[in-house]
């Protein structure tokens, strides 16, 4: 089996997310929630044989379950999209501008190019126009080179249309290459092709760190056009309100988050749905300490407050370096470190707790003879190796911390007697994680355990080995960071 690194980050911020300190214009203190509205402008950039595509569009329309029509125009589909540019956009534009609420547009470059009046209105309202790609098409089967070319063409066309390059990127129908390409391009302050968190985060890529401002597919009007989605404005409003209320309460408790609301001109721009959105906008504005922001403003705030700092990532160490650092965590048994790395580590193992869990699993998966060998590799407490100064540095430090290097003659004799009896009975030294224990605590445990049966004491000793390993790993992380 070859060494592999699990590429996904299942840990994120874990139990202690950062306090974002969202700006709170006009009020003292931090905002309790950041709310962000995204208008996806895709109309005129969707799949169509008119655009050189192989088939008609089949995604996110009133025609639930639509299928592509190869080589043919789908007039109903086209007119549904046209509603978004002709009517839906203007309804949303009026709704947000009348309330002076900022918006980020995910603008498909070819769609923007086909409607200059819409672009002018976006700029008049000071909406951020982020790039939503060259065309509103599926990229999962594109080669990296072809996707890169379309990204470059999208940036060039977007810049020509708006007068400035986009600083945010969201493909939407993305591939495994999308975030890597956004980082490689080098000019984006953030990318959003991820749904992994309620807060922005830095993602390590081949080209360096990339700020991800994650998007959402649940508080999103796309669910009006999917099975098991919203079938009325009331459902949409209730869902948005519940999401807002939960995150607002978390902000009141000191853990503020970000709420994304995804909108499409052809979907929520319809009157029966727009009414629900209007109610939600008014609800948001009725609450104090709410920061309604564009995504570029969120990105700039995050970059200033939480600039990228490369964390210490043991999962990315070479095999030699990893074994050098962690090979002695299980006493004189570097094979535990080697096997742990070979089994595969990921971001969730780049904490003391996460790595200890992975190495403990490896220890528990070892054969009984191998675990017995690890037990036997441990030194006697206050035994001959200690007296001779031949303990490992970790064992020496641990025993010294419990005062076992400063025993009276009577205490030394007592430990020697117990060591002799214990090894004769079980075939391995007495093992206990001594951190936080006194000599008296250790002697009491020693005297209690020496009368255990073989199976009980083997299990007890193994648990102590695991605890010692956890403590050693925690100390390594503390020293490294």
């Amino acid at each position: 089996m070859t060494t592999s690194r699990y590429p996904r980050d299942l840990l994120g911020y874990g139990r202690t997310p950062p306090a974002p300190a969202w700006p709170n214009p006009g009020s003292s203190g931090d905002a309790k929630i950041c709310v962000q509205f995204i208008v996806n402008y895709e109309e005129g950039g969707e799949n169509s044989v008119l655009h050189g595509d192989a088939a008609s569009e089949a995604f996110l329309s009133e025609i639930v379950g639509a299928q592509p029509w190869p080589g043919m125009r789908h007039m109903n589909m086209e007119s549904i999209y046209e509603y978004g540019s002709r009517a839906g956009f203007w309804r949303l534009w009026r709704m947000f501008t009348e309330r002076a609420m900022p918006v980020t547009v995910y603008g498909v470059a070819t769609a923007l190019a086909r409607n200059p009046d819409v672009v002018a209105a976006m700029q008049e309202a000071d909406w951020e126009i982020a790039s939503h790609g060259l065309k509103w098409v599926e990229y999962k089967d594109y080669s990296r080179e072809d996707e890169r070319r379309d990204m470059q063409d999208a940036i060039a066309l977007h810049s020509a249309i708006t007068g400035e390059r986009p600083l945010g990127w969201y493909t939407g129908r993305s591939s495994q290459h999308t975030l890597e390409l956004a980082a490689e391009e080098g000019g984006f302050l953030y990318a959003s092709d991820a749904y992994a968190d309620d807060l922005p985060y830095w993602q390590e890529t081949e080209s360096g760190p990339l700020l991800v401002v994650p998007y959402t597919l649940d508080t999103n009007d796309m669910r009006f056009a999917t099975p098991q989605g919203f079938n009325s404005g009331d459902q949409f409003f209730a869902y948005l309100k519940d999401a807002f209320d939960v995150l607002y309460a978390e902000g009141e408790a000191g853990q503020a988050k970000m709420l994304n609301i995804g909108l499409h001109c052809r979907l929520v721009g319809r009157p029966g749905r727009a009414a629900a959105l209007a109610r939600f906008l008014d609800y948001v504005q009725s609450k104090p300490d709410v920061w309604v922001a564009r995504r570029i403003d969120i990105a700039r705030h995050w970059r200033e407050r939480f600039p990228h700092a490369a964390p210490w990532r043991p999962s990315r160490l070479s095999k030699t370096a990893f074994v050098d650092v962690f090979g002695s965590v299980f006493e004189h048994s570097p094979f535990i470190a080697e096997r742990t790395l070979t089994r595969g580590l990921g971001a969730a193992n780049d904490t003391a707790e996460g790595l200890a869990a992975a190495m403990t699993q490896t220890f528990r998966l070892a054969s009984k003879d191998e675990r017995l060998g690890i037990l036997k590799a441990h030194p006697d407490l206050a035994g001959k190796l200690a007296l001779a100064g031949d303990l490992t540095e970790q064992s020496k430090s641990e025993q010294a911390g419990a005062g076992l290097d400063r025993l009276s003659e009577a205490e030394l004799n007592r430990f020697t007697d117990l060591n002799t009896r214990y090894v004769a009975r079980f075939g391995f030294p007495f093992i206990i994680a001594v951190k936080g224990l006194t000599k008296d605590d250790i002697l009491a445990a020693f005297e209690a355990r020496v009368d255990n049966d073989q199976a009980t004491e083997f299990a007890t000793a193994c648990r102590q080995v695991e605890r010692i390993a956890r403590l050693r790993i925690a100390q390594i992380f503390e020293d490294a960071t």
Side-chain angles (χ1 to χ4, degrees):
M1 182 184 295
T2 58
T3 300
S4 63
R5 183 183 185 277
Y6 190 64
R8 297 168 62 197
D9 183 353
L10 301 179
L11 177 65
Y13 292 120
R15 68 179 68 192
T16 54
W22 297 130
N24 196 2
S27 300
S28 60
D30 301 334
K32 295 180 174 64
I33 186 173
C34 172
V35 180
Q36 208 287 293
F37 295 96
I38 303 97
V39 171
N40 292 267
Y41 191 79
E42 300 156 351
E43 291 77 10
E46 78 277 15
N47 280 290
S48 171
V49 295
L50 295 176
H51 305 156
D53 300 307
S56 61
E57 186 56 72
F59 193 48
L60 293 188
S61 78
E62 303 297 328
I63 308 173
V64 178
Q67 297 297 314
W69 290 8
M72 301 172 63
R73 293 179 67 186
H74 192 319
M75 304 308 291
N76 288 348
M77 182 66 73
E78 288 182 16
S79 65
I80 287 171
Y81 269 74
E82 287 159 14
Y83 182 91
S85 62
R86 293 162 57 115
F89 170 81
W90 297 106
R91 183 167 288 118
L92 297 182
W93 183 80
R94 287 190 293 271
M95 191 179 296
F96 281 99
T97 56
E98 287 168 0
R99 293 169 174 81
M101 297 179 81
V103 167
T104 287
V105 175
Y106 284 161
V108 174
T110 50
L112 296 173
R114 292 187 170 102
N115 201 330
D117 283 354
V118 159
V119 175
M122 295 173 184
Q123 293 180 318
E124 178 186 323
D126 196 27
W127 290 2
E128 176 201 2
I129 309 177
S131 183
H132 199 4
L134 182 66
K135 297 167 67 175
W136 177 229
V137 298
E138 183 68 72
Y139 277 91
K140 68 180 178 65
D141 296 322
Y142 272 52
S143 69
R144 183 164 178 155
E145 293 71 25
D146 287 343
E147 187 175 353
R148 179 189 292 112
R149 183 196 62 241
D150 274 13
M151 180 178 285
Q152 293 168 345
D153 289 349
I155 295 168
L157 182 56
H158 185 112
S159 302
I161 294 164
T162 67
E164 55 187 8
R165 67 152 291 147
L167 299 178
W169 180 271
Y170 176 69
T171 297
R173 297 155 86 170
S174 60
S175 79
Q176 64 178 324
H177 308 301
T178 301
L179 288 177
E180 289 288 344
L181 289 171
E184 175 189 286
E185 195 278 332
F188 294 113
L189 294 186
Y190 73 92
S192 291
D193 280 290
Y195 313 93
D197 215 297
D198 296 314
L199 290 171
Y201 57 90
W202 290 98
Q203 179 160 321
E204 306 291 333
T205 75
E206 297 167 2
S207 304
L210 174 69
L211 181 63
V212 174
V213 180
Y215 188 41
T216 183
L217 299 180
D218 71 318
T219 48
N220 191 311
D221 69 353
M222 67 174 286
R223 293 182 60 202
F224 281 117
T226 59
Q228 286 295 105
F230 306 124
N231 59 36
S232 72
D234 286 345
Q235 291 181 347
F236 185 48
F237 173 77
Y239 194 88
L240 296 185
K241 180 179 180 297
D242 284 348
F244 178 93
D245 288 345
V246 167
L247 295 180
Y248 193 87
E250 290 182 8
E252 289 182 310
Q255 291 198 342
K257 303 294 195 311
M258 176 180 69
L259 175 62
N260 300 292
I261 312 293
L263 308 171
H264 297 76
C265 302
R266 64 191 175 277
L267 296 177
V268 79
R270 294 279 178 175
R273 298 167 183 153
L277 177 60
R279 289 199 299 276
F280 181 70
L281 297 185
D282 292 338
Y283 181 73
V284 170
Q285 288 198 315
S286 74
K287 297 292 186 179
D289 303 323
V290 176
W291 186 39
V292 180
R294 305 175 306 174
R295 295 177 83 72
I296 188 62
D297 302 321
I298 296 168
R300 286 174 173 145
H301 172 78
W302 204 265
R303 295 174 78 94
E304 180 179 350
R305 181 168 176 81
F306 302 103
H308 177 259
W312 187 54
R313 296 190 181 278
S315 67
R316 299 190 178 189
L317 294 174
S318 67
K319 182 177 180 180
T320 299
F322 185 85
V323 173
D324 183 58
V325 175
F326 296 102
S328 61
V329 162
F330 286 82
E331 194 83 10
H332 295 294
S333 302
F335 76 90
I336 296 293
E338 293 168 355
R339 289 183 189 175
T340 300
L341 194 63
T342 299
R343 289 175 61 223
L345 296 175
N349 305 117
D350 287 330
T351 66
E353 296 84 358
L355 186 57
M359 296 189 74
T360 297
Q361 289 175 32
T362 302
F363 172 70
R364 292 173 181 174
L365 290 169
S367 69
K368 184 174 182 179
D369 285 345
E370 287 174 323
R371 284 177 285 144
L372 178 60
I374 293 174
L375 300 188
K376 289 181 176 180
H378 276 261
D380 291 333
L381 290 182
K384 294 178 181 178
L385 288 178
L387 295 175
D390 288 338
L391 297 179
T392 65
E393 288 302 315
Q394 287 170 316
S395 290
K396 183 188 299 182
S397 174
E398 290 158 359
Q399 294 204 24
L404 299 185
D405 61 341
R406 301 183 300 276
L407 297 177
S408 68
E409 184 176 352
E411 290 170 333
L412 181 59
N413 290 337
R414 185 60 181 145
F415 268 103
T416 301
D417 177 60
L418 286 168
N419 280 328
T420 301
R421 287 172 53 202
Y422 186 95
V423 172
R425 181 172 177 83
F426 300 113
F428 51 84
F430 176 75
I431 301 169
I432 189 170
V434 299
K435 185 173 182 179
L437 301 180
T438 66
K439 289 181 288 186
D440 289 341
D441 294 330
I442 297 167
L443 280 168
F446 213 153
E447 290 169 343
R449 286 170 51 187
V450 76
D451 292 324
N452 279 341
D453 62 75
Q454 183 75 29
T456 299
E457 188 54 24
F458 181 81
T460 302
C462 285
R463 287 195 297 271
Q464 291 297 315
V465 165
E466 294 169 7
R467 184 164 187 270
I468 291 168
R470 286 197 300 273
L471 291 169
R472 289 176 175 178
I473 291 169
Q475 186 62 54
I476 291 171
F477 269 81
E478 184 178 332
D479 293 342
T481 57

